Amino acid sequence: MGESMNTTDLEKSTDYDRLVTKFGLSYLRNIMKRIKNPHTWIRREIIFAHRDFDKILDLREKGKRFSVVSGRGPSNKIHLGHLGVFSVVKWIQDEYDAEVYIPLSDDEKYVFRKINGLRDALYYAYDNALDIAALGYKTKITHFFVSTKYPPLYEYSVRLSRYTTFSTIKAIFGFTHDTNPGAIFYPIVQSAHILLPTIEKGLPVVVPIAIDQDPYIRLTRDIAERLDYFKPAALHSKFLSGLDGKPMSASKPETAIFTDDDNKTIKRKIWKALTGGQGTLAKQRKFGGNPDKCVVYEWFRAYSLRSDDDLKIIYNECKSGDRFCGQCKKELTKDIITILKEHRKKKMELINKIDQFFLHDVDMDIINKIAEHLEKIVVNANE
Amino acid sequence: MGESMNTTDLEKSTDYDRLVTKFGLSYLRNIMKRIKNPHTWIRREIIFAHRDFDKILDLREKGKRFSVVSGRGPSNKIHLGHLGVFSVVKWIQDEYDAEVYIPLSDDEKYVFRKINGLRDALYYAYDNALDIAALGYKTKITHFFVSTKYPPLYEYSVRLSRYTTFSTIKAIFGFTHDTNPGAIFYPIVQSAHILLPTIEKGLPVVVPIAIDQDPYIRLTRDIAERLDYFKPAALHSKFLSGLDGKPMSASKPETAIFTDDDNKTIKRKIWKALTGGQGTLAKQRKFGGNPDKCVVYEWFRAYSLRSDDDLKIIYNECKSGDRFCGQCKKELTKDIITILKEHRKKKMELINKIDQFFLHDVDMDIINKIAEHLEKIVVNANE
């Protein structure tokens, strides 16, 4: 924990420092004492900065409830990076009895041309919801909704729209004349997602985001201020590395592991991962590896559920040349196969219950299609 | 009927000819033979141009049904000009068994700052709907909806948004950097209003509009074309004169007569109307009046339900100096008081039935408030 842990991320911490300064954020480590039982992502500083999370804690300590809004753009399957973020959200729910809202922004993916039709997004929306709910969210205080399917959302968006201007939106999103007018309106809809618990229940909100997304939060905070709402707080995460060392992306399937990847695929993908190893056994023995520059080690920290003590052993063995990349890859593969096997079991158990989490009717035809797909993987994965 | 009638409008017909040429419209008179039992506004060329209405007639003659979409921005009460437009829509319903959709665009009025809050628009939306329905629309084939209250509308708008660009919208609406992003998105929502019967029921659409609004229809036609939908047809009306001779506007109450104006108010407003009279009885006797430049005469044509023969008598008496402005004003006042008394009775009868016309739940608290207000006027008007 602490600074030494921080440096194990592939990105240089100085870049993060620059962003923290540029955006005027605070380091989470400065209020760490106030956070009981921190999630591993917080302890390991994968989530490392914040804006007004101390205010949220102040309110909570006075008995006030709050809400977490954590959106998902449903243009693809869920991968480990997403699961990580939503496990932090679940931790907040458990630790603070927080009301969780999960907007599934089919509109966003459509207006920015990440999907061909809204119907395509709907499949991923429900599939993603099942993956997220499988982390163990509480039905009564967890609310999913598809952006185009929750009736009051458009009304809220219209209401908020008067509290910002085109030039503000343009400065953040950088539109051109070819831009779809829906893409100009979407940032307002996103603000409505974020402010929904405040509008509907008067709850203050915290939003977990990747640090580069902070400008979007600031737009919503400006709108909230003009409406005398609590300005949404944020928790900022570092960029998650894909298996190739570049930012993880669902659109480059070989860099991420999806919850429906079969064991063979998981094995193959991890085997190709970028490591901090020396390339040959002899060199590794002689010079030791560099876990601070190793995706496999980063993934052990982020996704394997290994204890801090276990991580320390792996780290030291690698450094001293007593551990080779093949061993790490095999162990990580085994860990992830175990995690995803259990995960898919839980996902399957939710098939007939997922509608209870939604703020609107759920299309059971799509849910059944997802169940069919899931059954095939479960069979496959158990082989 | 015909050309001579046309010249009785206050605006010069040459301006209209210019707009017809500029927009590439067709004159309705060229297809008049195909229109059985034309509405007085069509016979008297208040509605005088069209785009593709002949295609609508072609389809209807082949047994295909169609729809009329005629929106209303609910930021004020309904005046005689609105009633006139919606009586044409009702005529289309009766004559062609057309399915009528009436979007009440609270969002439009809010994003363009014509109202303070969406709630204010809701009062006018239901009040306007009662006024419109009171014209005798058929419940089963007439559908009102408030723009922010009909759930699928946002989804339709998002879907359409990809088929146009910001620069197209900007060219039509002329935004600045201060523009609310909601106002940039609204034209798409309006296109969704217009295409709703096509999207939901595959019906071709015709939209009655004031001629200056043609560019908005063209936006929707462009979108429709890209989606292989029937491109909405349009019926174009001339500008309606207010009592001061300038365009009628609900925001200048003295220039219009609202359905809830009491008898005293109606009398006062019409008494101040701009006429084509000579100013003194002696001069009027000597030179005769000019009904072609007279708002009172225009209103006889548009709102009094007088027959063509009656109008001819009034016209000739005025021209020859046998009729004075006071007489015309008194007769018009009497006509309109009679019409509105009957209108309010029908409006009152709909109070408990108006929900049957709506595509979504209706707020009965607001309806009850409207009923209270209506009772007061009815009592007042009967004095």
Side-chain angles (χ1 to χ4, degrees):
Chain A
M1 204 169 79
E3 277 304 81
S4 67
M5 276 298 185
N6 195 23
T7 57
T8 56
D9 289 287
L10 288 187
E11 283 75 21
K12 287 173 196 156
S13 66
T14 48
D15 286 340
Y16 291 121
D17 290 338
R18 194 178 51 79
L19 286 174
V20 165
T21 308
K22 185 179 163 193
F23 294 154
L25 308 179
S26 306
Y27 287 101
L28 211 47
R29 71 176 81 103
N30 297 336
I31 56 164
M32 198 60 93
K33 277 180 205 155
R34 297 184 63 184
I35 301 172
K36 311 267 188 311
N37 314 311
H39 184 279
T40 49
W41 275 34
I42 291 177
R43 272 196 294 119
R44 292 172 188 168
E45 299 197 353
I46 295 170
I47 291 181
F48 75 109
H50 76 101
R51 195 193 278 285
D52 285 354
F53 190 60
D54 49 338
K55 287 191 187 161
I56 291 279
L57 293 177
D58 291 346
L59 288 168
R60 189 71 196 102
E61 280 161 20
K62 286 178 192 149
K64 172 94 181 152
R65 293 190 65 222
F66 68 91
S67 177
V68 193
V69 178
S70 189
R72 163 81 191 130
S75 61
N76 219 317
K77 297 175 284 180
I78 284 275
H79 60 49
L80 289 179
H82 305 131
L83 281 192
V85 172
F86 283 103
S87 94
V88 176
V89 174
K90 190 201 165 268
W91 168 81
I92 302 175
Q93 175 170 87
D94 292 344
E95 195 62 23
Y96 301 102
D97 188 32
E99 192 108 10
V100 172
Y101 284 80
I102 301 172
L104 302 155
S105 49
D106 59 337
D107 43 2
E108 176 187 16
K109 292 300 172 183
Y110 181 80
V111 297
F112 291 105
R113 296 187 176 275
K114 302 293 180 191
I115 46 167
N116 286 328
L118 284 168
R119 183 91 192 159
D120 300 338
L122 217 48
Y123 179 93
Y124 289 119
Y126 293 129
D127 187 53
N128 293 179
L130 280 161
D131 272 316
I132 295 164
L135 294 170
Y137 281 89
K138 292 169 184 156
T139 324
K140 283 188 185 170
I141 53 172
T142 308
H143 313 289
F144 287 92
F145 62 95
V146 177
S147 206
T148 63
K149 298 287 178 199
Y150 183 52
L153 186 71
Y154 175 58
E155 183 180 335
Y156 299 155
S157 305
V158 168
R159 201 183 297 165
L160 300 185
S161 72
R162 247 166 63 169
Y163 298 91
T164 188
T165 64
F166 170 64
S167 59
T168 305
I169 302 280
K170 195 186 171 188
I172 299 171
F173 290 82
F175 299 122
T176 70
H177 279 273
D178 284 343
T179 298
N180 165 353
I184 296 170
F185 189 61
Y186 179 73
I188 309 298
V189 177
Q190 193 177 60
S191 292
H193 290 162
I194 294 172
L195 293 174
L196 202 144
T198 309
I199 295 170
E200 292 196 346
K201 300 190 175 176
L203 294 175
V205 166
V206 59
V207 187
I209 50 167
I211 189 164
D212 58 328
Q213 288 165 13
D214 191 67
Y216 312 149
I217 296 293
R218 287 209 302 279
L219 169 71
T220 309
R221 286 172 58 89
D222 289 346
I223 293 173
E225 185 162 37
R226 298 188 60 188
L227 281 158
D228 265 334
Y229 288 156
F230 179 89
K231 290 195 282 177
L235 288 167
H236 300 81
S237 66
K238 294 179 181 168
F239 306 114
L240 303 168
S241 299
L243 290 164
D244 59 354
K246 291 171 195 153
M248 199 186 294
S249 165
S251 59
K252 291 182 286 174
E254 287 300 306
T255 72
I257 286 176
F258 298 94
T259 63
D260 72 344
D261 277 351
D262 61 26
N263 298 351
K264 220 172 110 188
T265 306
I266 296 171
K267 219 174 275 180
R268 185 192 73 234
K269 286 180 176 179
I270 293 180
W271 197 252
K272 293 189 298 178
L274 184 82
T275 71
Q278 297 290 358
T280 68
L281 294 180
K283 274 190 174 175
Q284 178 84 357
R285 256 187 225 108
K286 190 167 174 189
F287 301 111
N290 186 356
D292 296 326
K293 300 273 181 194
C294 177
V295 171
V296 177
Y297 183 70
E298 190 192 323
W299 279 42
F300 268 125
R301 292 179 67 236
Y303 311 118
S304 73
L305 310 183
R306 298 259 173 162
S307 70
D308 291 354
D309 286 344
D310 273 4
L311 286 178
K312 204 168 280 173
I313 293 166
I314 294 173
Y315 188 88
N316 291 335
E317 283 180 358
C318 173
K319 274 280 202 193
S320 65
D322 292 332
R323 171 178 272 267
F324 303 103
C325 296
Q327 185 185 350
C328 271
K329 286 174 176 174
K330 273 183 197 162
E331 286 179 17
L332 180 66
T333 302
K334 202 181 155 202
D335 286 6
I336 289 176
I337 284 176
T338 308
I339 290 166
L340 288 186
K341 187 180 167 186
E342 183 62 20
H343 175 81
R344 284 187 294 253
K345 210 181 109 200
K346 287 181 184 158
K347 186 175 172 182
M348 196 58 162
E349 287 165 6
L350 281 170
I351 283 285
N352 292 317
K353 294 176 199 159
I354 193 65
D355 59 310
Q356 296 170 24
F357 288 89
F358 271 83
L359 290 178
H360 53 77
D361 283 347
V362 162
D363 185 330
M364 289 313 293
D365 285 350
I366 296 178
I367 300 290
N368 290 335
K369 258 186 216 165
I370 296 168
E372 270 175 44
H373 176 67
L374 211 47
E375 261 163 32
K376 276 183 215 155
I377 316 159
V378 172
V379 170
N380 201 12
N382 286 341
E383 273 167 11
Chain B
M1 205 170 79
E3 278 301 83
S4 66
M5 277 298 184
N6 195 22
T7 56
T8 58
D9 288 287
L10 290 186
E11 281 77 19
K12 288 172 196 157
S13 66
T14 48
D15 287 338
Y16 290 121
D17 288 339
R18 194 178 51 79
L19 286 173
V20 165
T21 308
K22 186 179 163 193
F23 294 154
L25 308 179
S26 307
Y27 287 101
L28 211 46
R29 73 177 79 105
N30 297 337
I31 57 165
M32 197 60 91
K33 278 181 207 154
R34 297 184 63 184
I35 302 173
K36 310 266 189 310
N37 314 311
H39 185 278
T40 50
W41 276 33
I42 291 178
R43 273 197 293 121
R44 293 173 186 166
E45 298 197 356
I46 295 170
I47 292 180
F48 74 110
H50 76 101
R51 195 192 277 287
D52 284 354
F53 190 61
D54 50 338
K55 287 192 186 159
I56 291 279
L57 293 177
D58 290 346
L59 289 166
R60 189 70 196 103
E61 279 160 21
K62 284 178 195 150
K64 172 94 180 151
R65 291 190 67 220
F66 68 90
S67 178
V68 192
V69 178
S70 188
R72 161 80 192 132
S75 62
N76 218 316
K77 296 174 285 181
I78 285 276
H79 60 49
L80 289 179
H82 306 132
L83 282 192
V85 172
F86 283 103
S87 92
V88 176
V89 174
K90 190 201 164 269
W91 168 81
I92 303 175
Q93 176 169 86
D94 292 344
E95 196 62 24
Y96 300 102
D97 188 33
E99 192 108 10
V100 172
Y101 283 80
I102 301 172
L104 302 156
S105 49
D106 59 336
D107 43 1
E108 176 187 16
K109 291 301 172 183
Y110 182 81
V111 298
F112 290 105
R113 297 188 176 273
K114 302 291 181 193
I115 45 165
N116 286 325
L118 285 168
R119 183 90 191 159
D120 300 338
L122 217 49
Y123 179 92
Y124 289 119
Y126 292 129
D127 187 53
N128 293 179
L130 280 161
D131 272 316
I132 296 164
L135 294 170
Y137 281 89
K138 292 169 184 156
T139 324
K140 283 189 184 167
I141 54 172
T142 308
H143 314 288
F144 287 92
F145 63 96
V146 177
S147 207
T148 63
K149 298 287 178 199
Y150 184 53
L153 185 71
Y154 175 59
E155 183 180 335
Y156 300 155
S157 305
V158 168
R159 200 183 298 164
L160 301 185
S161 72
R162 246 165 64 169
Y163 298 90
T164 188
T165 65
F166 170 64
S167 59
T168 305
I169 302 280
K170 196 185 169 187
I172 299 171
F173 290 82
F175 300 123
T176 69
H177 279 273
D178 283 343
T179 298
N180 164 353
I184 296 169
F185 189 60
Y186 179 73
I188 310 299
V189 177
Q190 192 176 61
S191 292
H193 290 162
I194 294 172
L195 293 173
L196 202 144
T198 309
I199 295 170
E200 292 196 345
K201 300 190 177 178
L203 294 175
V205 166
V206 60
V207 187
I209 49 166
I211 188 165
D212 59 328
Q213 286 164 14
D214 190 67
Y216 312 149
I217 295 293
R218 286 210 302 280
L219 169 71
T220 309
R221 286 171 58 89
D222 288 347
I223 293 173
E225 185 161 37
R226 299 188 60 188
L227 280 157
D228 266 332
Y229 288 156
F230 179 89
K231 291 195 281 177
L235 287 167
H236 300 81
S237 66
K238 294 179 180 168
F239 306 115
L240 303 169
S241 299
L243 290 165
D244 59 354
K246 290 170 195 153
M248 200 186 293
S249 164
S251 59
K252 291 181 288 175
E254 287 300 306
T255 72
I257 286 176
F258 298 95
T259 62
D260 72 344
D261 277 350
D262 60 27
N263 298 352
K264 220 173 109 189
T265 306
I266 296 171
K267 219 174 277 180
R268 186 192 71 235
K269 285 180 176 178
I270 294 180
W271 197 253
K272 293 189 298 179
L274 185 80
T275 71
Q278 296 290 357
T280 68
L281 295 180
K283 274 189 173 175
Q284 179 83 359
R285 257 185 226 110
K286 191 167 172 189
F287 302 110
N290 186 356
D292 295 327
K293 298 276 182 191
C294 177
V295 172
V296 176
Y297 182 71
E298 190 191 325
W299 280 42
F300 268 124
R301 291 179 68 234
Y303 311 120
S304 71
L305 311 183
R306 299 257 173 163
S307 70
D308 290 355
D309 287 342
D310 274 1
L311 286 177
K312 205 168 279 172
I313 293 167
I314 294 173
Y315 187 88
N316 292 335
E317 283 180 355
C318 173
K319 274 277 202 193
S320 64
D322 293 329
R323 172 177 273 267
F324 303 102
C325 296
Q327 186 187 349
C328 270
K329 285 175 178 174
K330 272 183 198 164
E331 286 179 17
L332 180 66
T333 302
K334 201 180 153 202
D335 285 6
I336 290 176
I337 284 176
T338 309
I339 290 166
L340 289 186
K341 188 181 166 184
E342 184 61 21
H343 175 81
R344 282 188 296 253
K345 210 181 110 198
K346 286 182 184 156
K347 186 175 173 183
M348 196 58 161
E349 288 165 6
L350 282 170
I351 282 286
N352 293 316
K353 295 176 198 157
I354 193 66
D355 59 310
Q356 296 170 23
F357 289 87
F358 270 83
L359 290 176
H360 52 77
D361 283 346
V362 162
D363 185 330
M364 288 313 292
D365 286 348
I366 296 178
I367 301 291
N368 290 335
K369 258 186 216 166
I370 295 167
E372 271 175 43
H373 176 67
L374 211 47
E375 263 163 30
K376 277 183 215 156
I377 316 159
V378 172
V379 170
N380 202 9
N382 286 341
E383 276 168 10

